[in-house]
Amino acid sequence: MQAATHPPAGRREWLGLAVLALPTLLVSMDMTILYLATPSLSAALQPSAAELLWISDIYGFLIAGALIPLGAVGDRIGRRRLLLIGSVFFGLASVLAAFSTSATMLIVARAILGVAGATVLPSTLAMIRNLFHSPRERSIAIGIWTTCFTLGGVLGPLVGGLLLQHLWWGSVFLVAVPVMAALAVLGPIFLPEVREDDGHAVDVPSVAMSVTALLATAYGVKHLAETGVTMTAAAVFVLGGIVGWAFVRRQGRLAAPLVDLGLFRNGAFAAALGANMMALFAWVGASLLIAQYLQLVVGMSPMTAGLWTIPPAIACVAGCLGAPVLAQRVPPAVIVTSALLLVAAGFAVMTAFTAGFGLAAIISGMAVLGLGVAVIVTLGTDLILASAPADKAGAASAISETGADLGGSFGVAVLGSVGVAVYRAAVAVPEGLSEDRAAAVRDTLGAAVDVASALPGPSGSILLESAQQAFERGLVLASGAGFCVLLSTAIFFAWTNLRRGALRPAVQSQGGIR
């Protein structure tokens, strides 16, 4: 069957993409902009250790938990309406966060920001599916969307550092206010309203089950990365698994399920979702280790470390914008397999820094890894949207974003756990330290740096050198583990998709994909 001819997008559609790009950049930026503000807000609000952890984590947790239900809600009540409602709440919650007078108030504000952010990401991506009907133009639009999302994470610490040099900690949240105000004004002008009119209401028990399962999984992964295997981590994983199983069973019985399980029977959808998850597994897991290495081993300030992330960010932009062009000439399965091998190669390059290549190997490896990740995410996101019927674009976008979030969380847990295990086995704790200080040294490199700075004479420098060398060994082995995982993923992906011709460009019709 020949593909239908689609009219080219006009100025209105491209202006609509520009409107969608702004909140995408902002929501991504809000995930990292708080990094540099933590010391100053800690001094102002005096949060406990647990409260500080919730201030940092609750935003990402609630985005992960709310993506799927809110994506389905957008399909029913209208994606533009959900986007505009979310933008208003995001702006108001940003003001609330900026002028918080207690840790509890800031935690509540960050929670509202997380839920509001979960309305923005699937809505923006789903509306691209409705604005651009030509596969070529949609690929370019998704490349631009992915570029904005990638740049947001990189710009967060840089913008935050610039604001904190001149203003108070709350200023990092006020960046959102003019952007969301502009979205509220321009959205009704340039964005069409699209909804699925099937007469079915959103299934509230499914919403509760999906949120519970995803929050439990996200929390369990984070707890595993921080403290290792514990009863708490096991309990929340079991809870997430049981509720998730019940959720899947319920979806199979509903006439209008929150998640259309039929999407997963589409080979292109499942393969692209899996590739996206593994790409984010690599990027987020590696980024966490590299950020610590640059600041605690090399000794860079947060701002300088942020500047060193610019070369990998440029590689990501090149991958995001180049993937749609490459997809016009090379089969998608070949591109994704090659990009997975490129990510594995990036990990291999990073293992070379102990052989005398130093910082050059780290930054070069991250640039190679980032290039591969950007290609995978851009092309995979396009394939996920193209594989779903137009009226399920919101749910498909939410599944894509949730998969990416969980992939990143598992990257932190797996690669972080490898690095921590090697560090704890290799660090030499000097004799004479109290039990608490010795435990802190073994716990994290950051704690070891603090303890070393307080020790008299050569003991401090000896401990610092031991801790830094132990972390370097952990980084090498974590990079090696990442190489093995991504190489295995590339081989498996090639075996399952190249042989059977999966990920072939789909033929679109009025009813979706055939």
Short mmCIF file of all heavy atoms in Angstrom, two decimals, residues 392-417:
data_model
loop_
_atom_site.label_atom_id
_atom_site.label_comp_id
_atom_site.label_asym_id
_atom_site.label_seq_id
_atom_site.Cartn_x
_atom_site.Cartn_y
_atom_site.Cartn_z
N LYS A 392 -4.44 8.18 20.07
CA LYS A 392 -3.75 7.65 21.24
C LYS A 392 -2.37 8.31 21.41
O LYS A 392 -1.53 7.81 22.15
CB LYS A 392 -3.55 6.13 21.11
CG LYS A 392 -4.85 5.34 21.04
CD LYS A 392 -5.59 5.35 22.36
CE LYS A 392 -6.82 4.45 22.29
NZ LYS A 392 -7.59 4.49 23.55
N ALA A 393 -2.16 9.43 20.74
CA ALA A 393 -0.84 10.06 20.76
C ALA A 393 -0.44 10.51 22.16
O ALA A 393 0.73 10.42 22.55
CB ALA A 393 -0.81 11.26 19.80
N GLY A 394 -1.41 11.01 22.95
CA GLY A 394 -1.09 11.44 24.31
C GLY A 394 -0.62 10.29 25.18
O GLY A 394 0.38 10.40 25.89
N ALA A 395 -1.35 9.17 25.12
CA ALA A 395 -0.96 8.00 25.91
C ALA A 395 0.38 7.45 25.45
O ALA A 395 1.22 7.06 26.26
CB ALA A 395 -2.05 6.93 25.82
N ALA A 396 0.59 7.41 24.12
CA ALA A 396 1.86 6.91 23.59
C ALA A 396 3.02 7.80 24.02
O ALA A 396 4.09 7.32 24.39
CB ALA A 396 1.80 6.82 22.07
N SER A 397 2.81 9.11 23.99
CA SER A 397 3.85 10.05 24.42
C SER A 397 4.16 9.85 25.89
O SER A 397 5.33 9.88 26.30
CB SER A 397 3.39 11.49 24.18
OG SER A 397 3.08 11.70 22.83
N ALA A 398 3.12 9.65 26.70
CA ALA A 398 3.33 9.45 28.13
C ALA A 398 4.10 8.16 28.40
O ALA A 398 4.97 8.11 29.27
CB ALA A 398 1.99 9.42 28.85
N ILE A 399 3.77 7.09 27.67
CA ILE A 399 4.50 5.83 27.82
C ILE A 399 5.96 6.03 27.44
O ILE A 399 6.88 5.54 28.12
CB ILE A 399 3.86 4.73 26.96
CG1 ILE A 399 2.47 4.38 27.50
CG2 ILE A 399 4.74 3.48 26.93
CD1 ILE A 399 1.66 3.48 26.59
N SER A 400 6.20 6.77 26.36
CA SER A 400 7.58 7.05 25.94
C SER A 400 8.35 7.79 27.02
O SER A 400 9.48 7.43 27.36
CB SER A 400 7.55 7.87 24.64
OG SER A 400 8.85 8.28 24.27
N GLU A 401 7.73 8.84 27.58
CA GLU A 401 8.41 9.63 28.61
C GLU A 401 8.61 8.81 29.89
O GLU A 401 9.65 8.92 30.55
CB GLU A 401 7.59 10.89 28.92
CG GLU A 401 7.56 11.89 27.80
CD GLU A 401 8.93 12.43 27.47
OE1 GLU A 401 9.73 12.66 28.41
OE2 GLU A 401 9.23 12.60 26.29
N THR A 402 7.63 7.99 30.24
CA THR A 402 7.76 7.16 31.44
C THR A 402 8.87 6.14 31.27
O THR A 402 9.67 5.91 32.18
CB THR A 402 6.44 6.45 31.75
OG1 THR A 402 5.40 7.42 31.91
CG2 THR A 402 6.54 5.62 33.01
N GLY A 403 8.94 5.52 30.08
CA GLY A 403 10.01 4.57 29.82
C GLY A 403 11.38 5.21 29.92
O GLY A 403 12.32 4.64 30.48
N ALA A 404 11.50 6.43 29.37
CA ALA A 404 12.77 7.14 29.44
C ALA A 404 13.13 7.45 30.89
O ALA A 404 14.29 7.31 31.30
CB ALA A 404 12.69 8.43 28.62
N ASP A 405 12.14 7.87 31.68
CA ASP A 405 12.39 8.20 33.08
C ASP A 405 12.84 6.97 33.86
O ASP A 405 13.80 7.02 34.64
CB ASP A 405 11.13 8.79 33.70
CG ASP A 405 11.36 9.33 35.09
OD1 ASP A 405 11.81 10.48 35.21
OD2 ASP A 405 11.11 8.59 36.06
N LEU A 406 12.16 5.85 33.65
CA LEU A 406 12.54 4.62 34.35
C LEU A 406 13.90 4.12 33.87
O LEU A 406 14.69 3.61 34.67
CB LEU A 406 11.47 3.55 34.13
CG LEU A 406 10.13 3.80 34.81
CD1 LEU A 406 9.15 2.68 34.48
CD2 LEU A 406 10.30 3.90 36.32
N GLY A 407 14.19 4.26 32.57
CA GLY A 407 15.50 3.88 32.08
C GLY A 407 16.61 4.66 32.76
O GLY A 407 17.64 4.10 33.17
N GLY A 408 16.41 5.98 32.89
CA GLY A 408 17.39 6.81 33.58
C GLY A 408 17.54 6.41 35.04
O GLY A 408 18.66 6.37 35.57
N SER A 409 16.43 6.10 35.70
CA SER A 409 16.49 5.69 37.11
C SER A 409 17.28 4.39 37.28
O SER A 409 18.09 4.26 38.20
CB SER A 409 15.08 5.52 37.67
OG SER A 409 14.37 6.74 37.65
N PHE A 410 17.04 3.44 36.38
CA PHE A 410 17.79 2.19 36.47
C PHE A 410 19.27 2.39 36.12
O PHE A 410 20.13 1.69 36.64
CB PHE A 410 17.16 1.13 35.56
CG PHE A 410 15.99 0.43 36.18
CD1 PHE A 410 14.70 0.73 35.79
CD2 PHE A 410 16.18 -0.51 37.18
CE1 PHE A 410 13.61 0.10 36.38
CE2 PHE A 410 15.10 -1.14 37.78
CZ PHE A 410 13.81 -0.84 37.38
N GLY A 411 19.57 3.36 35.26
CA GLY A 411 20.96 3.68 34.97
C GLY A 411 21.69 4.16 36.20
O GLY A 411 22.82 3.75 36.49
N VAL A 412 21.02 5.04 36.96
CA VAL A 412 21.60 5.52 38.21
C VAL A 412 21.78 4.37 39.19
O VAL A 412 22.83 4.25 39.85
CB VAL A 412 20.69 6.61 38.84
CG1 VAL A 412 21.15 6.95 40.25
CG2 VAL A 412 20.70 7.86 37.96
N ALA A 413 20.77 3.50 39.30
CA ALA A 413 20.84 2.40 40.26
C ALA A 413 21.94 1.41 39.90
O ALA A 413 22.76 1.03 40.75
CB ALA A 413 19.49 1.69 40.33
N VAL A 414 21.99 0.97 38.64
CA VAL A 414 22.93 -0.08 38.25
C VAL A 414 24.36 0.46 38.17
O VAL A 414 25.27 -0.07 38.85
CB VAL A 414 22.51 -0.70 36.90
CG1 VAL A 414 23.56 -1.69 36.41
CG2 VAL A 414 21.16 -1.39 37.04
N LEU A 415 24.59 1.49 37.37
CA LEU A 415 25.95 2.01 37.22
C LEU A 415 26.43 2.67 38.51
O LEU A 415 27.61 2.55 38.88
CB LEU A 415 26.01 3.00 36.06
CG LEU A 415 25.62 2.43 34.69
CD1 LEU A 415 25.84 3.48 33.59
CD2 LEU A 415 26.41 1.17 34.38
N GLY A 416 25.52 3.38 39.20
CA GLY A 416 25.89 3.97 40.48
C GLY A 416 26.24 2.92 41.51
O GLY A 416 27.21 3.08 42.28
N SER A 417 25.50 1.82 41.54
CA SER A 417 25.78 0.75 42.51
C SER A 417 27.13 0.10 42.23
O SER A 417 27.87 -0.23 43.17
CB SER A 417 24.67 -0.30 42.47
OG SER A 417 23.44 0.25 42.89
#
